[in-house]
């Protein structure tokens, strides 16, 4: 059956539109139509293809859904070898790399392209006349596996490139990976369907790409960034690596925005430090920075040795995962009485520090991961996050490794341990009679975001409690210089400073004080709302559950925690003693009417007042101000020259206000 012209044309239009929306959604992260609208277009195309199978081309947007399962992967020979990278584990090694390059090139300084080293899997994508025709794994660098059907399901990989000057043969190389969020979602799904969770995003990505059934791959949250090219014919590319990447981006390939061009070793170091700092905030896992000599003519002079180019290096971050042995499992009691099993470890250098303890979160986690005393485990420390046990290396388990059980009595005060059904956490029922809870409550009270008592660190609090100098937070304000000066690592001067810091902390705000009390589930944000709603402490102390629940953001559980806390005579006494000791704050003006409560606003374009000011005014009226437009947005306020948020709002049918209309709403 031949395809009528009108149908062929319509299919062409749908291809174009779907590719464009796909690009906007997955590469630019700036969709302009709703998901439903996208689905409608795709369904229309699928319908046409069902009737006219000739329309199914390799670059059809319908091909992402996943082809029929394979029996085995075919082989692909890489015409241009897929190389590996040499590593530098220190600044000195990076310096050596730069010195070798300068010597070989006989220059004073070199320009480098600087890119994050994504922790995923290298893939090669072959575009012939702009259409993706083949995708392969790296394999041994010479021969890889044909994973075309799987790669087609990755939405951020264009099935067809767009733009001018695309070489007839263009092999693009890059990394397929899974973001942190994608990984968490994947593991949640795995666990809820009774499957074993993946160990890390890299393994999950590798496992997903090597699925014989592309439909399985299609359901995995794989993403892609490209970092270079392989074979190129029938066209020319720029003569600098960074310019090539910019060109690839123009053709709709996904290139990381934070890629830099730096000058000399100093430039490399600065880039490395910056990325090291922001590493944990990135949405994906990286294990270092790759520096590449930017000029291709210089790359050519340098050539390569064995399996790695001389012109590139991976400056690796300190390892975030290491192996060590569990020497014991202790139980720690937190501020709210929560019992946390903690693995004691043979010291191990991981993520830039020596780690001797790692959290096991709760009893269920210990059993799920099946961690036993004597086990060899993988420890992970990412950024400032508390080190945790990732998994056990079962092969290394010694005979008689002990299984852990949570104690029935609090290991600190001996009170009964309770675990509410449905909750993962078990708690000591001793409340503030438990010295551990008391100690943690005092640490929290003194902390920077609570009463901000300068110089009263964790160690000092522990000593004060241990020596019996303080029982609860109110005792802090009775401390004498002499008592403090007698403690370890304290002298008269530091003791005097502490007493002064305590005096200074007496003038505080109601919201800080409420937060400092350490009521369960009452964080800073809730403390602020409570301060605004009640204006003073007494009405809050006397509020019943119904009154509390009427407050924005306070649900039944939080309301129970609050009334429970204030109905405890001991807590009331401590508060009274604190006030007698001189703690004070200004009454908070009761919050005015909140006409915009529950409404979400997004601001875009140039306004006549600073954006922060309009934001503050909207928030004061109870509105939420968000940075991005979604189905949950109620209003978009558009100033002059609005950005893509405006288009998106229009596409989603969200009400758009100009500044004047917004101010009117505020009145
Ligand atoms: S370039 C010519 N750039 O690291 C060098 N590789 O250890 C070829 N990787 O197989 C690789 N991010 O899987 C390059 N920005 C980046 C990278 C990167 C991650 C991976 C890639 C490669 C491995 C080498």
């Amino acid at each position: 059956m031949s395809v009528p012209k009108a149908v062929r044309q319509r299919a062409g239009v749908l291809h174009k539109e779907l590719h464009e929306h796909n690009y906007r959604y997955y590469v630019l992260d700036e969709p302009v139509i709703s998901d439903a609208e996208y689905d409608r277009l795709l369904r229309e195309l699928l319908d046409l293809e069902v009737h006219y199978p000739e329309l199914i081309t390799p670059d059809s947007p319908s091909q992402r859904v996943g082809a029929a399962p394979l029996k085995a992967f075919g082989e692909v020979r890489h015409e241009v070898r897929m190389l590996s990278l040499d590593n530098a584990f220190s600044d000195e090694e990076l310096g050596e790399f730069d010195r070798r390059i300068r010597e070989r090139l006989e220059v004073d300084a070199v320009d480098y392209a600087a890119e994050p080293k994504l922790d995923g899997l290298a893939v090669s994508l072959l575009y012939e006349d702009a259409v993706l025709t083949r995708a392969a794994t790296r394999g041994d660098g010479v021969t890889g596996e044909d994973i075309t059907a799987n790669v087609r399901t990755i939405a951020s990989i264009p099935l067809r490139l767009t733009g001018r000057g695309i070489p007839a043969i263009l092999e693009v190389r890059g990394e397929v990976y899974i973001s942190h969020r994608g990984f968490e979602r994947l593991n949640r799904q795995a666990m809820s369907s009774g499957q074993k969770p993946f160990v890390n995003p890299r393994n999950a990505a590798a496992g997903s790409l090597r699925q014989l059934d592309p439909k399985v791959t299609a359901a995995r949250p794989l993403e892609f960034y490209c970092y270079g090219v392989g074979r190129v014919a029938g066209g020319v590319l720029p003569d600098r690596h960074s310019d090539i990447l910019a060109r690839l981006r123009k053709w709709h390939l996904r290139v990381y925005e934070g890629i830099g061009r730096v000058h000399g070793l100093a430039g490399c170091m600065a880039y490395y430090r910056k990325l090291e700092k922001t590493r944990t905030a990135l949405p994906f896992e990286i294990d270092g920075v790759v520096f590449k000599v930017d000029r291709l003519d210089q790359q050519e002079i340098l050539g390569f040795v064995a399996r790695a180019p001389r012109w590139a290096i991976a400056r690796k971050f300190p390892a975030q995962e290491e192996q060590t042995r569990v020497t014991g499992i202790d139980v720690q009691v937190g501020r709210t009485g929560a019992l946390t099993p903690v693995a004691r470890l043979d010291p191990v250098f991981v993520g830039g520090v020596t780690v001797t303890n790692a959290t096991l979160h709760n009893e269920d986690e210990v059993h799920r991961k099946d961690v036993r005393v004597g086990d060899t485990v993988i420890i992970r420390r990412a950024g400032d996050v508390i080190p945790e046990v990732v998994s056990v290396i079962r092969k290394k388990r010694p005979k008689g490794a002990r299984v852990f059980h949570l104690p029935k009595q609090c290991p600190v005060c001996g009170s009964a341990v309770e675990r509410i059904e449905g909750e993962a956490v078990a708690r000591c029922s001793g409340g503030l009679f438990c010295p551990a809870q008391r100690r943690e409550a005092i640490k929290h009270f003194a902390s920077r975001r609570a009463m901000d008592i300068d110089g009263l660190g964790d160690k000092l609090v522990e000593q004060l409690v241990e020596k019996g100098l303080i029982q609860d937070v109110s005792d802090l304000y009775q401390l004498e210089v002499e008592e403090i000066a007698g403690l370890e690592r304290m002298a008269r001067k530091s003791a005097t400073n502490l007493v002064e810091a305590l005096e200074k902390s007496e003038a505080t705000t109601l919201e800080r004080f409420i937060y400092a009390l350490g009521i369960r589930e009452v964080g800073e944000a809730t403390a602020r709302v409570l301060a605004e709603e009640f204006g003073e402490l007494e009405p809050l102390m006397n509020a019943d559950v119904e009154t509390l629940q009427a407050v924005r953001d306070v649900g039944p559980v939080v309301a129970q925690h609050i009334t429970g806390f204030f109905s405890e005579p001991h807590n009331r006494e401590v508060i009274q003693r604190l006030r007698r000791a001189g703690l004070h704050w200004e009454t908070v003006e009761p919050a005015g009417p909140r006409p915009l409560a529950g409404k979400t606003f997004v601001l875009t374009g140039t306004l006549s007042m600073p954006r922060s000011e309009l934001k503050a005014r909207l928030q004061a009226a109870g509105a939420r101000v968000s940075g991005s437009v979604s189905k949950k947005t109620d209003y978009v306020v558009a100033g002059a020259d609005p950005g893509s948020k405006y288009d998106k709002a229009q596409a989603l049918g969200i009400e758009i206000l100009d500044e004047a209309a917004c101010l009117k709403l505020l009145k």
Side-chain angles (χ1 to χ4, degrees):
M1 186 176 12
S2 77
V3 185
K5 194 165 162 221
V7 172
R8 194 174 286 282
Q9 271 174 352
R10 180 62 190 155
V13 169
L14 288 170
H15 273 207
K16 239 181 121 208
E17 287 197 6
L18 284 162
H19 280 315
E20 175 69 17
H21 291 312
N22 213 57
Y23 167 66
R24 285 185 171 273
Y25 191 94
Y26 290 103
V27 180
L28 299 181
D29 197 14
E30 284 174 359
V32 290
I33 61 168
S34 65
D35 296 357
E37 179 70 0
Y38 180 89
D39 289 345
R40 203 184 57 69
L41 294 172
L42 183 62
R43 235 174 299 125
E44 188 184 343
L45 178 65
L46 289 170
D47 272 352
L48 292 182
E49 291 182 348
V50 167
H51 285 101
Y52 304 100
E54 299 97 305
L55 290 175
I56 306 174
T57 54
D59 68 328
S60 167
S62 66
Q63 294 308 292
R64 294 211 186 273
V65 224
L70 303 169
K71 295 261 178 322
F73 296 108
E75 270 192 3
V76 170
R77 256 190 99 74
H78 300 299
E79 298 214 13
V80 176
R81 237 177 100 171
M82 285 187 81
L83 298 172
S84 179
L85 287 168
D86 277 338
N87 294 321
F89 292 101
S90 64
D91 290 347
E92 289 71 40
E93 288 179 17
L94 184 65
E96 277 300 299
F97 163 78
D98 176 64
R99 188 185 53 74
R100 285 194 301 271
I101 288 191
R102 283 184 289 110
E103 280 176 9
R104 277 183 186 266
L105 295 175
E106 298 178 3
V107 293
D108 292 335
V110 180
D111 280 343
Y112 293 100
E115 308 162 4
K117 187 170 190 299
L118 284 148
D119 200 9
L121 246 89
V123 295
S124 140
L125 309 174
L126 182 65
Y127 286 92
E128 292 177 293
D129 294 325
V131 175
L132 176 70
T133 53
R134 198 203 65 198
T137 60
R138 174 166 173 268
D140 62 3
V142 180
T143 316
E145 283 177 321
D146 187 331
I147 49 164
T148 314
N150 287 344
V151 163
R152 274 196 218 289
T153 69
I154 302 174
S156 48
I157 294 182
L159 298 178
R160 168 188 279 281
L161 300 181
T162 305
R164 270 187 300 204
I166 303 168
I169 302 281
L170 175 65
E171 187 200 344
V172 176
R173 290 176 177 177
E175 198 87 346
V176 167
Y177 68 94
I178 290 183
S179 70
H180 292 308
R181 269 176 67 180
F183 179 68
E184 280 160 22
R185 201 174 66 222
L186 192 61
N187 267 355
R188 264 201 308 276
Q189 282 164 359
M191 265 145 55
S192 67
S193 58
Q195 284 160 307
K196 252 179 75 179
F198 293 97
V199 177
N200 58 39
R202 199 193 122 79
N203 285 7
S208 302
L209 261 191
R210 297 198 67 266
Q211 285 288 336
L212 287 168
D213 184 355
K215 288 204 171 54
V216 176
T217 311
R220 302 280 170 85
L222 294 169
E223 295 181 41
F224 174 78
Y225 269 125
C226 58
Y227 52 65
V229 293
R231 194 172 147 228
V232 180
V236 275
L237 291 179
D239 56 7
R240 276 181 178 260
H241 175 76
S242 53
D243 293 336
I244 293 179
L245 293 185
R247 188 67 60 85
L248 296 180
R249 183 186 286 135
K250 264 202 179 140
W251 292 334
H252 287 193
L253 282 153
R254 195 158 173 254
V255 177
Y256 180 62
E257 314 83 53
I259 279 179
R261 180 144 101 193
V262 299
H263 186 66
L265 181 62
C268 294
M269 300 265 204
Y271 187 93
Y272 175 82
R273 298 268 171 269
K274 201 170 118 202
L275 210 60
E276 192 183 27
K277 267 206 208 105
T278 49
R279 171 188 191 184
T280 47
L282 291 177
F284 44 77
E285 189 79 31
I286 61 173
D287 55 359
V289 179
V290 184
F291 296 108
K292 300 172 182 169
V293 171
D294 201 34
R295 277 172 47 179
L296 299 194
D297 58 332
Q298 292 184 330
Q299 286 191 2
E300 196 149 339
I301 296 171
L302 292 161
F304 57 89
V305 261
R307 300 174 62 185
R310 281 209 193 86
W311 44 263
I313 197 144
R315 168 71 170 99
K316 298 289 276 281
F317 293 132
Q320 291 195 302
E321 287 190 2
E322 280 299 344
Q323 287 183 20
T324 188
R325 210 175 59 87
V326 177
T327 56
I329 299 179
D330 290 348
V331 174
Q332 265 175 10
V333 184
R335 171 166 65 81
T336 60
L339 263 52
T340 307
V342 176
R344 305 287 174 213
L345 310 165
D346 278 338
V348 58
F349 191 72
V350 51
V353 297
T354 300
V355 168
T356 51
N357 304 314
T359 179
L360 286 161
H361 301 292
N362 56 56
E363 190 179 16
D364 290 351
E365 275 282 294
V366 183
H367 294 149
R368 190 173 68 72
K369 291 179 178 158
D370 190 19
V371 182
R372 302 185 190 179
V373 177
D375 269 340
T376 299
V377 292
I378 293 173
I379 297 299
R380 182 178 169 74
R381 180 185 177 272
D384 296 332
V385 182
I386 304 169
E388 61 170 352
V389 173
V390 180
S391 59
V392 173
I393 302 173
R394 291 290 288 270
K395 282 198 294 254
K396 296 198 177 173
R397 172 167 292 166
K399 277 219 176 72
R402 244 185 317 121
V403 177
F404 168 82
H405 292 290
L406 207 65
K408 301 251 182 312
Q409 263 102 37
C410 171
V412 179
C413 72
S415 303
V417 168
E418 291 169 348
R419 181 167 165 187
I420 297 170
E421 223 181 276
E423 275 195 18
V425 177
R427 289 174 204 279
C428 157
S429 58
L432 287 178
F433 297 105
C434 174
Q437 292 189 51
R438 230 184 296 149
R439 194 177 57 217
E440 295 307 311
I442 298 168
K443 286 181 191 170
H444 170 78
F445 184 84
S447 65
R448 200 171 46 79
R449 287 168 30 202
M451 299 301 289
D452 193 17
I453 304 170
D454 218 16
L456 186 54
D458 290 358
K459 288 273 171 304
L460 190 51
V461 171
E462 278 162 27
Q463 277 199 70
L464 288 167
V465 175
E466 224 168 81
K467 296 263 149 65
L469 291 174
I470 52 175
Q471 301 282 334
D472 60 54
V473 294
S474 67
D475 297 331
L476 283 171
Y477 293 89
Q478 315 301 328
L479 284 171
E480 306 277 348
V481 171
E482 286 69 33
E483 292 173 311
I484 307 169
L487 296 172
E488 252 170 64
R489 278 185 295 174
M490 289 302 276
R492 222 190 142 70
K493 176 85 183 113
S494 42
T496 314
N497 288 347
L498 179 60
V499 170
E500 277 168 12
L502 279 160
E503 274 166 20
K504 200 173 130 215
S505 77
E506 285 169 8
T508 184
T509 63
L510 179 58
E511 70 178 74
R512 268 181 184 271
F513 184 73
I514 295 172
Y515 173 64
L517 290 174
I519 305 167
R520 262 178 73 188
E521 312 260 348
V522 176
E524 283 170 290
T526 309
R528 184 174 322 126
V529 175
L530 292 171
E532 279 169 6
E533 286 297 325
F534 291 93
E536 249 310 336
L537 190 63
E538 281 68 26
L540 171 64
M541 288 173 70
N542 299 327
D544 57 19
V545 170
E546 285 73 41
T547 315
L548 284 163
Q549 276 201 72
V551 175
R552 146 178 77 105
D553 294 346
V554 177
V557 177
V558 182
Q560 285 287 354
H561 287 321
I562 297 171
T563 50
F565 182 90
F566 289 120
S567 64
E568 183 70 55
H570 169 81
N571 290 336
R572 285 181 168 261
E573 267 167 45
V574 170
I575 290 171
Q576 213 173 35
R577 276 204 299 264
L578 283 169
R579 298 202 82 162
R580 257 189 258 126
L583 252 70
H584 61 279
W585 50 81
E586 277 178 24
T587 303
V588 181
E589 284 304 315
R594 298 182 161 271
L596 301 181
K599 298 284 180 217
T600 301
F601 283 69
V602 173
L603 312 182
T604 179
T606 314
L607 304 162
S608 70
M609 65 176 92
R611 209 181 261 201
S612 53
E613 188 182 326
L614 185 58
K615 185 173 170 186
R617 286 170 68 171
L618 285 165
Q619 284 173 335
R624 217 175 73 83
V625 180
S626 157
S628 60
V629 178
S630 75
K631 285 175 207 144
K632 291 191 191 124
T633 311
D634 294 293
Y635 299 101
V636 167
V637 182
D641 297 325
S644 62
K645 293 174 193 165
Y646 183 94
D647 301 333
K648 187 163 178 190
Q650 259 190 339
L652 294 177
I654 289 163
E655 189 167 341
I656 299 174
L657 305 173
D658 61 12
E659 196 177 328
C662 176
L663 293 176
K664 215 161 155 194
L665 265 189
L666 276 169
K667 275 190 188 147

